[in-house]
């Protein structure tokens, strides 16, 4: 076989077979070896092997073994991933201050259960008769994200659909990523074929099971010890860290890492008993105003758990953003914050970090970016710019929204 360098003479015609890597020289009438082409092929092969390793996930059947039988059966039957689907890492073009939308979509794109649902054609766009169907629009962007392409793309049709669905979103003004997430979840639930209207009824649609949980509020009278319990649906938790930060600041010791507010500390404060004065509570059993103790607990956890850190505060006519760092873990056991706080089944309550949404700038202007996990690797999504991210970089981010996904159903 003839051999040449990478600087092939332009007057000699060469034909390359991209599948085998072979190069045929029309002048030599023989296969030739090119060192530069060989290097490129070796590097490309290594990249493909690395991506293949990162994209491997634990099988759905193994993950579902730890989940509630009824819930697992329903979610699994509605989440069959298309075999030819690709685990994409594509950016999204900013269509005019639409970074708030991009970070939420990137978060959902990387959630395993939603990916298997939409790529498994559980919502059949070709059979859907609904005019301007919102679920169809979401299914379309999921499909486009997982195409065999690497360049960024724009979700103009989805943006216009969201504008039509919510006049508050229409236009190119600044929007809040948390509010957009709430809009998106509510819209998916409302347009699901088998959804049930009204929170007092039990809805069994896929999106309700994936996004919604239940929060229980218990108020115990100090006099008669009667406890009044109410339940409300939730799609996220809004956690304050200002009180935790101020308490730690009063007892701060140089070099003490515990002076940094933490997500667990926020959850502890959120579910801690709160004393209510008699002026704020009228006991239904005693029939008179009495002092009472109120406590919030999670009655039911969603598969996708969104936690908002309250960084935007408004005091009368003054608004400000709090830039304090809040520490958060890669995985968290939510059992201590539920009505089953003493449960030994940690698999049922263990969540893994899926996405970290960061807001850069002040309260009136700024920019959103997101860190999302793909397999075991983290990526930074800054609109259409996608870069690798280290674990340390993710944990050091000033999180505004934290998305965790249930380990027993996500395949993490």
């Amino acid at each position: 076989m003839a051999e040449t360098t990478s600087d092939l003479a332009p007057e000699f015609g060469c034909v390359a077979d991209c599948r085998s890597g072979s190069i045929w020289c029309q002048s030599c009438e023989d296969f030739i070896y090119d060192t530069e082409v060989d290097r490129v092929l070796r590097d490309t092969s290594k990249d493909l092997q690395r991506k293949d390793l990162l994209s491997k996930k634990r099988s759905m059947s193994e993950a579902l073994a730890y989940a509630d039988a009824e819930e697992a059966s329903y979610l699994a039957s509605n989440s069959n991933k298309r075999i030819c689907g690709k685990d994409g890492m594509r950016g999204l073009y900013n269509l005019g201050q639409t970074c708030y939308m991009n970070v939420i979509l990137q978060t959902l794109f990387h959630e395993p259960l939603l990916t298997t649902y939409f790529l498994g054609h559980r919502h059949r766009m070709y059979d859907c008769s609904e005019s301007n169907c919102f679920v169809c629009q979401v299914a379309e962007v999921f499909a486009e994200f997982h195409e065999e392409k690497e360049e960024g793309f724009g979700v103009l049709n989805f943006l216009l659909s969201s504008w039509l669905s919510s006049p508050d979103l229409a236009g190119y003004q600044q929007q809040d990523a948390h509010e957009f997430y709430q809009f998106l979840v509510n819209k998916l639930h409302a347009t699901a074929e088998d959804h049930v209207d009204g929170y007092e009824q039990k809805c069994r649609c896929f999106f309700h099971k994936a996004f919604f949980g239940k929060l229980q509020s218990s108020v115990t009278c100090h006099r008669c010890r009667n406890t009044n319990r109410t339940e409300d649906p939730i799609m996220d938790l809004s956690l304050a860290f200002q009180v935790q930060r101020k308490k730690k600041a009063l007892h701060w010791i140089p070099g003490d890492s515990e002076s940094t507010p933490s997500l667990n500390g926020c959850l502890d404060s959120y579910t801690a008993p709160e004393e209510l004065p008699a002026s704020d509570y009228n006991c239904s059993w005693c029939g008179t105003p009495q002092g009472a103790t109120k406590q919030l607990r999670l009655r039911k956890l969603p598969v996708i758990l969104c936690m908002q850190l309250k960084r935007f505060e408004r005091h009368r006519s003054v608004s400000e953003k709090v830039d304090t760092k809040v520490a958060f873990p890669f995985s968290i056991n939510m059992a201590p914050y539920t009505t089953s706080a003493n449960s030994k089944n940690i698999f049922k309550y263990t969540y893994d970090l899926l996405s970290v949404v960061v807001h850069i700038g002040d309260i009136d202007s700024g920019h959103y970016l997101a860190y999302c996990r793909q397999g075991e690797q983290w990526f930074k999504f800054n609109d259409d710019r996608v870069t690798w991210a280290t674990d340390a970089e993710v944990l050091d981010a000033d999180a505004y929204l934290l998305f965790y996904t249930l380990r027993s159903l996500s395949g993490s």
Side-chain angles (χ1 to χ4, degrees):
M1 179 182 290
E3 178 175 337
T4 184
T5 65
S6 60
D7 298 325
L8 296 176
E11 64 269 25
F12 296 155
C14 294
V15 179
D17 186 342
C18 61
R19 292 171 297 180
S20 65
S22 302
I23 303 175
W24 175 263
C25 177
Q26 294 176 342
S27 177
C28 302
E29 294 186 345
D30 191 6
F31 289 102
I32 65 173
Y33 174 76
D34 183 84
T35 56
E36 181 64 15
V37 172
D38 185 66
R39 184 191 64 78
V40 172
L41 288 174
R42 287 200 309 270
D43 292 345
T44 302
S45 177
K46 290 179 181 179
D47 289 341
L48 291 175
Q49 290 175 2
R50 182 169 63 251
K51 289 182 180 180
D52 181 65
L53 180 63
L54 293 176
S55 65
K56 288 182 179 177
K57 299 184 177 79
R58 193 174 64 183
S59 66
M60 199 67 170
S61 59
E62 179 186 357
L64 294 175
Y66 304 112
D68 177 82
E70 181 182 358
E71 297 284 310
S73 177
Y74 176 86
L75 292 170
S77 64
N78 284 274
S79 303
N80 299 312
K81 188 171 181 179
R82 190 180 63 203
I83 296 176
C84 62
K86 174 189 175 185
D87 291 326
M89 287 171 281
R90 303 179 64 187
L92 296 174
Y93 292 126
N94 193 315
L95 303 177
Q97 300 197 72
T98 58
C99 55
Y100 68 92
M101 175 184 68
N102 290 348
V103 293
I104 298 302
L105 286 178
Q106 287 289 3
T107 296
L108 301 188
F109 289 157
H110 289 84
E111 208 293 315
L113 196 67
L114 292 178
T115 300
T116 54
Y117 178 88
F118 283 110
L119 296 192
H121 300 299
R122 302 312 300 177
H123 180 78
R124 296 178 174 84
M125 293 186 288
Y126 45 83
D127 287 339
C128 184
S129 59
E130 183 72 23
S131 177
N132 298 318
C133 175
F134 189 79
V135 183
C136 283
Q137 294 293 338
V138 177
E140 183 178 318
V141 295
F142 262 85
E144 189 167 4
F145 178 79
H146 287 87
E147 287 182 354
E148 295 291 333
K149 299 178 181 178
E150 295 183 357
E151 67 274 12
F153 68 102
V155 290
L156 182 58
N157 289 338
F158 174 80
L159 176 64
L160 295 177
S161 181
S162 66
W163 287 2
L164 292 174
S165 301
S166 174
D168 292 336
L169 294 175
Y172 294 101
Q173 65 271 22
Q174 292 277 341
Q175 298 288 352
D176 180 71
H178 180 232
E179 293 177 358
F180 182 77
Y181 173 74
Q182 293 178 319
F183 153 78
L184 182 57
V185 170
N186 278 319
K187 190 64 179 177
L188 284 172
H189 173 250
T191 53
E193 295 178 359
D194 53 347
H195 87 283
V196 176
D197 290 322
Y199 292 126
E200 67 280 356
Q201 302 184 57
K202 188 173 182 179
C203 179
R204 307 194 65 80
C205 83
F206 176 87
F207 298 115
H208 191 93
K209 291 175 179 291
F211 290 108
F212 286 87
K214 288 184 180 179
L215 183 67
Q216 177 179 284
S217 174
S218 301
V219 181
T220 303
C221 176
H222 286 172
R223 180 179 179 181
C224 67
R225 309 308 300 174
N226 178 62
T227 300
N228 182 38
R229 295 184 178 88
T230 58
E231 293 182 2
D232 293 296
I234 57 166
M235 68 181 77
D236 52 47
L237 296 174
S238 291
L239 306 174
F241 58 90
Q242 285 290 71
V243 174
Q244 184 188 171
R245 184 185 67 161
K246 291 176 181 177
K247 286 183 178 179
K248 288 181 177 293
L250 292 175
H251 306 285
W252 181 74
I253 300 175
D256 181 13
S257 61
E258 294 300 320
S259 61
T260 301
S262 68
L263 179 63
N264 289 93
C266 293
L267 288 167
D268 289 336
S269 298
Y270 186 81
T271 56
E274 174 188 0
E275 297 301 318
L276 301 178
S279 58
D280 291 349
Y281 180 69
N282 193 340
C283 179
S284 59
W285 189 263
C286 296
T288 57
Q290 298 290 337
T293 300
K294 178 181 179 181
Q295 187 171 27
L296 298 176
R297 289 279 176 176
L298 291 163
R299 175 69 176 174
K300 183 178 182 297
L301 287 163
V303 175
I304 304 166
L305 178 59
C306 172
M307 290 186 273
Q308 177 208 29
L309 299 176
K310 293 183 178 179
R311 291 196 175 277
F312 304 110
E313 294 188 343
R314 301 186 184 278
H315 305 283
R316 298 177 183 176
S317 59
V318 179
S319 300
E320 65 175 354
K321 178 189 173 186
V322 183
D323 287 319
T324 301
K325 178 177 174 54
V326 178
F328 54 89
F330 277 129
S331 62
I332 187 170
N333 177 18
M334 292 296 295
Y337 315 110
T338 69
T339 54
S340 303
N342 297 321
S343 175
K344 303 299 183 181
N345 185 4
I346 62 173
F347 294 106
K348 189 176 180 180
Y349 301 99
T350 301
Y351 282 75
D352 292 309
L353 186 64
L354 170 71
S355 171
V356 181
V357 172
V358 177
H359 179 269
I360 302 171
D362 56 37
I363 194 170
D364 296 317
S365 63
H367 179 65
Y368 287 102
L369 56 86
Y371 295 92
C372 299
R373 176 169 53 83
Q374 179 69 35
E376 299 302 320
Q377 177 62 49
W378 286 91
F379 293 88
K380 179 180 179 181
F381 293 87
N382 187 357
D383 288 332
D384 60 310
R385 297 181 295 280
V386 183
T387 55
W388 297 77
T390 64
D391 290 356
E393 183 181 356
V394 174
L395 293 178
D396 193 51
D398 290 332
Y400 171 49
L401 300 176
L402 292 168
F403 289 88
Y404 285 83
T405 186
L406 188 61
R407 178 179 296 179
S408 61
L409 281 175
S410 70
S412 299

